[in-house]
Amino acid sequence: MPDRGGGPTGPRMRVGRPSRRVRTLLMTLGVLAVLAMAFVMFAGFWTDWLWYRSVHYSSVFTTTLWTKIGLFFVFGLLMAAAVGFNIWLAHRLRPPLSAMSMEQQSLDRYRMGIAPYKRWLLVGIVSVVGLIAGASASGQWRTWLMWVNGVPFHQKDPQFHLDVSFYAFDLPWYRFLLGFGFAAAVLSLIAAALTHYLYGGLRVTSPGARATAAATGHLSVLLGIFVALKAVAYWLDRYGLAVKSSDFKATGNWTGLRYVDANAYLPAKTILFCIAVICALLFFATLWRRTWQLPVIGFGLMVLSAILIGGLYPAIVQKFQVQPNEQAKEAPYVEKNLKATREAYGIDGTDVKDYPGSSDTKDKAKLRDDADTAASIRLMDPNVVSPTFQQLQQVRNYYGFPSNLDVDRYSKDGKDQDTVIGLRELNLAGIPKSNWINDHFRYTHGYGAVAAKGTTADSEGRPVFTEYNLPSRGDLGEYQQQIYYGEKTTQYSIVGGPQKEIDYSDDSGEKTTSYKGKSGISLSSPVNRAAYAVAFGEPQILYSGAIGEGSRILYNRTPKERVEAVAPWLTIDGDAYPAIVNHKIQWIVDAYTTTNGYPYASRTTLGDTTADSLTAANNQRAVVAQQNQVNYIRNSVKATVDAYTGEVKLYQWDTKDPVLKTWMKAFPNTVKAKDSISPDLMAHLRYPQDLFKVQRELLTRYHVKDAQTFLSGSEVWQVPDDPSNNSGSAVPPYYLSMKLPGETSQAFSLTTTMTPNGRDNLAAFMSVDAEAGTPDYGKISILKLPTGKTVDGPKRVQSQFNSEPSIAESISLLERGDSKVEYGNLLTVPLDGGLLYVEPVYVRGGDLKYPLLRKVLVTYGGSTAFESTLDQALNKVFGAESSTQPPPDENTTKPPTSSNPTVQAALDDAQKAFDQGQEALKKGDWQAYGEAQKDLEDALKKAEDAQNKADKAGSGGSGADKSTDKGADKSADKKSSPSGSPSSSPSSDKSS
């Protein structure tokens, strides 16, 4: 054909094509890219499988995986089939000839353009839709497993008389199915309408009918299905009212039916259900009538009814029936909410007793003796003394303690002792030289526990250690001291191979070890090494010579991570704590089962109710589920994680919890029976803090059982702010061995105070028996103060401390110079009708960068004392001395500051200079204070020089090992103060 383009004549220019070699290279690169992406996906899957197999919970991995795969394919295929079928049907029902119009002539070009690719286009559309639907459905694996394995609660809701399991397990699954049905109907309707339009079944501007009979029938059926699903939604909404959250002016957050729900919304939903069913039938009838007139009218009536019956009518009922007499109308429903909420949070057995708040006893000597037996007053605040543990017991910079230590009970000579305990965990920030080998091969674990008496301090205000030194020794006996799994151990280590690990260092030098446990995953396989190199983004894992026969990789090493991984259906407490159990260090982790489907029970947000001044300060103790709203919670599982092997064990704790039973059906053989708990482990189990914080928040409102009182709001309490700091956050609960009024012996308890809403006087004292294995474990007691009597709450007590002229002057003297005063936990103890408040006061003075107990604040019945020891303060407050207090034990083993005599002598001089400086401060003798400060500086310099000489003379190990430890030792010595590494030596165990 002649060239009509007006271009140049002659040979036609060919567009350049890549050469065969280039095409082959591009194809090869494409294949390699696909293979690389595939291996990245495989690496994630393979390393997960290896980890679950290594901890012997492979059934959790497979059950979860197959459930997700099943849901993905079932619902993905259903969605693809629904959309694909309706596209195919719309195409099949297309008219044979399209009307001659501009609209159809424009569409002809699109029809001709896609004609060769119709099949591929259909496959592409349904594939995309199916993938999206399947991915969404796979995320519902928990909902599916709870529905298919649900067990009854054997409790019925008060409105519909259905078992609670219907709302907790069944209703969420039905709602998912309904949502999926709506999505399928809408997508099918859109796809069918577009197909009919493209092929002439629907017309917008063409002359004649706007739709063919076939298109009318097809789309009307789809609309009928949509309206039928709406009818089902109306029916389920009736039951949803029992778990619906709403704002209620009288109570705030509200769950369940109120008067307007039961008398307006509930009948409205029933009427709308009937209207929707009729409307759906009218749409289906268009298959025979071939007109949309009736169904459109019916749909309009349904929308109008939804506005009038579902919206306007309830508003009228609320305005003209409820508001004029709200308390009388709402009272029956409030009673249901009160009962359900108390049951759902386990606070229905709370024992509320009236407590006078003041003592009528005139016998001061008796009060003084009662104060000794009322509680084991804990002066070592675990949230304050961590720096003291760090300075006195860190030993090496590559060890560290958590910022919040833990309180436990240990028995000695048949007597339980409240003990502050922490583990000397690995601190990578303190490694002398950070590199890949040091970080992941040489420094792999911590070493030993450190414990101190909770109720006493030595004469210098330091903890009286009952477990100390490196390796640790003391009252805890023999146990496996290496800590490969801990709260601060957050990165992977490769152990057991040719590269030796640093075990610990002592005066004879550096000790090395090689991990003998069976934990972790073997790296002997090239596939495993490649997978972990990809998973961790560290190519050296693939080719490093430090990895060889026996090498194993350890990761997911914090107790919370491990328990969450093996039991993804549990909510984990914010504070794991260590204990010596059967000669091993075990991390004990409390875990909860929750649901937000308990009818009538008010919801709470876990992240908010478990927040306090400790979580605000360091975010270590917040529940993982920060935004999870729940209205049912049980501490149903106690878990342990071995600090050496990483072994995770789950124990059934609440044997009646239906949620736990459901999950145990879904994941059989993962949770051990309660009777598998050994007596040694049982002795260290305790009531969890996070559950207690949730319960105390609910009890600020739900301690009342009368609906009228609840609605009036006159008995609403609040958790007071922590008075010992300026965080503005709630005071944390405290573990304390104490006895309540009427009891004959002390019990390990978790305690807190509550104040009236918006006021600072005391409203109630709340405690729970926290000692597992006892008959009263979990029993919550509330001592309610009289409303017409003002009893000082924590904030007012702290203000009273600070405003007392003599106390304020003493604190001012303590804070002069470089000293800093820190307040410990303000403990509250019921005593003979009144309340005894005790607060330890710590001082960081001069070059001492850690707190020492210097004073004790005590108040009772308006009398306040600020003395050097607890005995002195109690004697002053009560005006009498104790007749029951035993004499000080002069033979208590207490760690001195150094095993080097020269260093010890220098540190003793430093302590003496510090004490002289404090005495000079009290007298206002600034010249003497300046001289003491100079003596202190000289003594500390002398101690540092002596320690450096000792380190150089006594360092052991190879040249490489020496070079890595010199910096650590020197840095540790610089941080040293008149207290250091302990050895056995007599000192006084003076009660402070």
Side-chain angles (χ1 to χ4, degrees):
M1 294 180 64
D3 187 357
R4 298 181 180 180
T9 58
R12 184 170 295 184
M13 298 285 294
R14 295 188 61 186
V15 178
R17 295 180 61 189
S19 66
R20 186 172 183 178
R21 179 179 299 175
V22 172
R23 292 199 305 271
T24 303
L25 178 61
L26 292 175
M27 186 177 296
T28 302
L29 291 175
V31 170
L32 290 176
V34 171
L35 290 176
M37 293 176 61
F39 188 77
V40 170
M41 296 174 64
F42 165 79
F45 165 82
W46 184 242
T47 53
D48 284 349
W49 161 247
L50 290 174
W51 187 88
Y52 276 97
R53 191 176 64 175
S54 73
V55 294
H56 309 296
Y57 282 90
S58 54
S59 62
V60 174
F61 179 81
T62 54
T63 299
T64 304
L65 178 65
W66 286 116
T67 302
K68 290 179 178 179
I69 290 174
L71 292 172
F72 177 86
F73 279 104
V74 169
F75 287 95
L77 290 173
L78 284 175
M79 182 65 76
V83 175
F85 172 76
N86 282 282
I87 292 175
W88 172 83
L89 184 60
H91 179 266
R92 185 177 180 84
L93 296 176
R94 68 190 184 279
L97 297 173
S98 57
M100 296 302 296
S101 65
M102 293 298 296
E103 179 185 23
Q104 293 303 312
Q105 289 177 16
S106 298
L107 290 173
D108 275 341
R109 289 181 296 171
Y110 294 103
R111 287 193 284 263
M112 293 174 65
I114 67 172
Y117 310 107
K118 284 192 296 186
R119 181 172 298 176
W120 291 108
L121 187 60
L122 176 62
V123 170
I125 292 173
V126 299
S127 296
V128 171
V129 169
L131 286 172
I132 295 173
S136 176
S138 66
Q140 298 293 322
W141 64 271
R142 289 181 177 85
T143 308
W144 161 260
L145 287 176
M146 293 186 78
W147 177 68
V148 77
N149 294 288
V151 301
F153 276 66
H154 300 296
Q155 291 176 290
K156 296 185 177 181
D157 78 283
Q159 182 66 42
F160 302 102
H161 307 293
L162 296 173
D163 191 89
V164 172
S165 61
F166 171 81
Y167 301 94
F169 306 141
D170 299 344
L171 190 58
W173 179 250
Y174 297 154
R175 281 176 165 167
F176 164 71
L177 291 179
L178 184 63
F180 179 83
F182 272 124
V186 170
L187 289 175
S188 297
L189 182 63
I190 293 171
L194 289 174
T195 306
H196 280 300
Y197 176 72
L198 182 63
Y199 287 96
L202 290 179
R203 307 180 185 94
V204 177
T205 61
S206 300
R210 291 285 184 260
T212 62
T216 300
H218 184 195
L219 297 179
S220 64
V221 169
L222 291 176
L223 286 169
I225 292 173
F226 177 85
V227 176
L229 290 171
K230 187 62 180 174
V232 176
Y234 282 133
W235 188 256
L236 288 181
D237 284 347
R238 298 168 69 255
Y239 302 110
L241 292 172
V243 290
K244 183 192 73 171
S245 287
S246 60
D247 289 328
F248 189 9
K249 183 176 65 175
T251 62
N253 188 339
W254 174 271
T255 300
L257 285 83
R258 291 156 49 192
Y259 181 89
V260 69
D261 296 312
N263 295 277
Y265 281 111
L266 187 57
K269 297 292 184 183
T270 306
I271 295 171
L272 289 171
F273 163 77
C274 296
I275 294 173
V277 169
I278 295 171
C279 186
L281 293 175
L282 290 176
F283 274 107
F284 293 141
T286 56
L287 287 172
W288 298 275
R289 293 180 56 84
R290 304 296 183 183
T291 176
W292 280 357
Q293 185 175 3
L294 284 178
V296 168
I297 293 173
F299 187 77
L301 289 174
M302 187 181 75
V303 173
L304 183 62
S305 300
I307 296 172
L308 296 178
I309 302 175
L312 185 59
Y313 174 61
I316 293 173
V317 171
Q318 178 69 24
K319 179 70 174 177
F320 296 102
Q321 291 190 32
V322 178
Q323 288 185 5
N325 192 15
E326 187 173 50
Q327 289 204 4
K329 295 290 187 182
E330 301 289 11
Y333 304 96
V334 170
E335 289 177 358
K336 297 174 184 178
N337 177 270
L338 285 169
K339 183 176 183 296
T341 302
R342 291 167 65 87
E343 290 173 351
Y345 289 94
I347 56 177
D348 49 327
T350 301
D351 183 20
V352 181
K353 295 180 180 178
D354 291 331
Y355 191 70
S358 60
S359 175
D360 295 329
T361 301
K362 304 301 181 183
D363 188 347
K364 295 183 178 180
K366 181 180 182 303
L367 280 174
R368 176 65 184 87
D369 289 342
D370 288 345
D372 286 333
T373 60
S376 298
I377 304 296
R378 182 169 41 74
L379 300 179
M380 290 292 107
D381 186 346
N383 308 310
V384 173
V385 299
S386 178
T388 308
F389 273 53
Q390 187 83 357
Q391 288 292 331
L392 302 183
Q393 286 294 313
Q394 179 187 25
V395 185
R396 291 290 184 267
N397 272 10
Y398 48 80
Y399 295 130
F401 293 92
S403 57
N404 300 113
L405 303 177
D406 290 290
V407 177
D408 203 344
R409 299 96 62 219
Y410 285 90
S411 180
K412 184 177 181 181
D413 300 327
K415 184 178 179 181
D416 286 342
Q417 167 71 45
D418 286 3
T419 301
V420 177
I421 186 171
L423 298 188
R424 193 184 287 111
E425 294 189 49
L426 180 66
N427 174 29
L428 288 175
I431 292 178
K433 184 178 180 180
S434 181
N435 54 52
W436 190 64
I437 294 295
N438 277 349
D439 292 354
H440 298 287
F441 290 82
R442 285 178 55 77
Y443 295 91
T444 60
H445 59 278
Y447 207 95
V450 176
K453 292 183 178 181
T455 55
T456 60
D458 68 12
S459 58
E460 285 79 35
R462 296 172 297 194
V464 176
F465 291 104
T466 58
E467 187 76 11
Y468 47 85
N469 266 6
L470 184 66
S472 294
R473 59 187 178 84
D475 295 345
L476 301 184
E478 297 293 329
Y479 59 94
Q480 173 60 261
Q481 296 200 19
Q482 292 153 322
I483 303 164
Y484 283 86
Y485 295 88
E487 289 180 304
K488 297 171 70 69
T489 314
T490 56
Q491 72 173 25
Y492 72 89
S493 289
I494 299 176
V495 299
Q499 177 66 58
K500 289 293 185 179
E501 311 161 43
I502 293 177
D503 202 22
Y504 65 91
S505 298
D506 59 15
D507 292 339
S508 64
E510 201 172 73
K511 310 295 183 182
T512 60
T513 188
S514 186
Y515 184 64
K516 300 297 190 298
K518 301 300 182 184
S519 182
I521 295 91
S522 172
L523 293 179
S524 58
S525 165
V527 174
N528 288 2
R529 292 179 69 168
Y532 280 103
V534 171
F536 290 157
E538 182 49 71
Q540 293 186 78
I541 294 176
L542 189 60
Y543 55 79
S544 174
I547 301 174
E549 186 65 30
S551 291
R552 308 179 71 83
I553 186 168
L554 313 180
Y555 62 103
N556 283 358
R557 298 171 70 184
T558 68
K560 288 176 69 174
E561 282 179 327
R562 296 182 78 77
V563 176
E564 282 175 335
V566 303
W569 36 273
L570 290 173
T571 299
I572 310 303
D573 189 270
D575 181 34
Y577 60 97
I580 309 301
V581 179
N582 298 321
H583 308 292
K584 298 178 181 178
I585 298 177
Q586 298 282 341
W587 288 99
I588 300 175
V589 183
D590 287 287
Y592 309 106
T593 48
T594 62
T595 179
N596 64 355
Y598 199 99
Y600 270 104
S602 290
R603 289 185 172 88
T604 186
T605 303
L606 293 180
D608 294 338
T609 53
T610 58
D612 58 26
S613 62
L614 298 182
T615 62
N618 52 42
N619 294 319
Q620 285 193 3
R621 292 195 175 180
V623 167
V624 174
Q626 289 292 323
Q627 301 304 317
N628 273 23
Q629 278 209 326
V630 304
N631 65 357
Y632 173 94
I633 186 169
R634 290 290 186 272
N635 176 212
S636 53
V637 171
K638 300 284 188 180
T640 61
V641 178
D642 191 291
Y644 182 73
T645 66
E647 181 183 18
V648 182
K649 293 182 179 179
L650 306 176
Y651 296 97
Q652 182 182 17
W653 185 247
D654 189 333
T655 57
K656 298 180 180 179
D657 178 27
V659 181
L660 177 60
K661 291 179 180 179
T662 295
W663 287 119
M664 290 175 68
K665 280 183 64 180
F667 297 97
N669 303 319
T670 57
V671 181
K672 298 178 180 294
K674 186 175 183 178
D675 55 18
S676 301
I677 300 176
S678 68
D680 201 7
L681 174 58
M682 183 69 76
H684 295 282
L685 299 182
R686 67 189 191 187
Y687 201 82
Q689 282 182 297
D690 281 340
L691 176 60
F692 186 72
K693 286 189 279 189
V694 171
Q695 290 174 326
R696 75 172 177 178
E697 182 65 32
L698 268 296
L699 282 169
T700 58
R701 291 178 293 142
Y702 286 90
H703 62 277
V704 301
K705 298 181 181 180
D706 177 63
Q708 297 295 337
T709 306
F710 186 83
L711 284 167
S712 70
S714 60
E715 291 289 329
V716 175
W717 300 336
Q718 66 182 15
V719 179
D721 292 342
D722 191 343
S724 64
N725 57 56
N726 297 319
S727 66
S729 300
V731 62
Y734 297 121
Y735 287 105
L736 185 67
S737 291
M738 55 164 288
K739 63 180 181 180
L740 290 173
E743 295 180 350
T744 57
S745 61
Q746 294 181 9
F748 190 65
S749 306
L750 192 54
T751 66
T752 190
T753 53
M754 288 185 279
T755 59
N757 195 26
R759 297 169 62 193
D760 293 327
N761 57 295
L762 195 66
F765 174 83
M766 175 181 169
S767 67
V768 64
D769 192 317
E771 191 164 354
T774 60
D776 289 334
Y777 171 82
K779 179 183 177 182
I780 300 175
S781 300
I782 292 180
L783 301 180
K784 182 181 176 184
L785 281 299
T787 55
K789 186 176 183 179
T790 300
V791 179
D792 291 341
K795 188 174 181 179
R796 295 181 66 170
V797 169
Q798 189 70 52
S799 298
Q800 182 180 337
F801 283 157
N802 297 336
S803 60
E804 185 83 20
S806 59
I807 296 176
E809 182 179 355
S810 298
I811 291 177
S812 178
L813 286 172
L814 290 174
E815 287 183 329
R816 287 183 180 176
D818 295 330
S819 298
K820 178 184 177 183
V821 170
E822 294 183 27
Y823 295 99
N825 37 222
L826 179 58
L827 301 176
T828 308
V829 179
L831 176 63
D832 197 37
L835 291 159
L836 175 69
Y837 287 97
V838 180
E839 184 175 48
V841 178
Y842 302 85
V843 177
R844 299 192 195 214
D847 288 330
L848 296 176
K849 301 304 182 185
Y850 57 92
L852 296 175
L853 180 66
R854 290 303 186 191
K855 295 287 184 179
V856 181
L857 281 163
V858 174
T859 184
Y860 182 82
S863 178
T864 302
F866 184 60
E867 301 296 328
S868 298
T869 68
L870 176 60
D871 286 342
Q872 294 171 1
L874 291 174
N875 292 343
K876 183 174 181 180
V877 163
F878 293 108
E881 294 188 359
S882 172
S883 63
T884 61
Q885 188 69 23
D889 181 6
E890 298 294 334
N891 296 318
T892 300
T893 299
K894 186 201 74 170
T897 57
S898 177
S899 57
N900 184 302
T902 307
V903 176
Q904 181 62 61
L907 292 176
D908 289 341
D909 290 342
Q911 184 65 57
K912 182 179 178 181
F914 174 78
D915 292 338
Q916 290 174 348
Q918 296 301 308
E919 289 297 324
L921 273 179
K922 293 180 182 179
K923 298 176 182 178
D925 188 343
W926 298 108
Q927 181 178 354
Y929 177 75
E931 293 174 356
Q933 290 295 100
K934 185 177 185 306
D935 292 342
L936 176 62
E937 183 178 351
D938 293 342
L940 288 172
K941 183 69 170 61
K942 182 179 178 182
E944 180 182 355
D945 293 341
Q947 186 64 50
N948 287 339
K949 290 180 181 179
D951 289 342
K952 291 178 181 178
S955 296
S958 64
D961 295 341
K962 289 180 183 178
S963 66
T964 56
D965 267 352
K966 282 181 181 177
D969 295 344
K970 188 174 182 182
S971 177
D973 293 336
K974 285 184 177 180
K975 291 185 178 180
S976 182
S977 63
S979 296
S981 118
S983 63
S984 181
S985 143
S987 68
S988 63
D989 179 12
K990 191 176 292 182
S991 177
S992 299

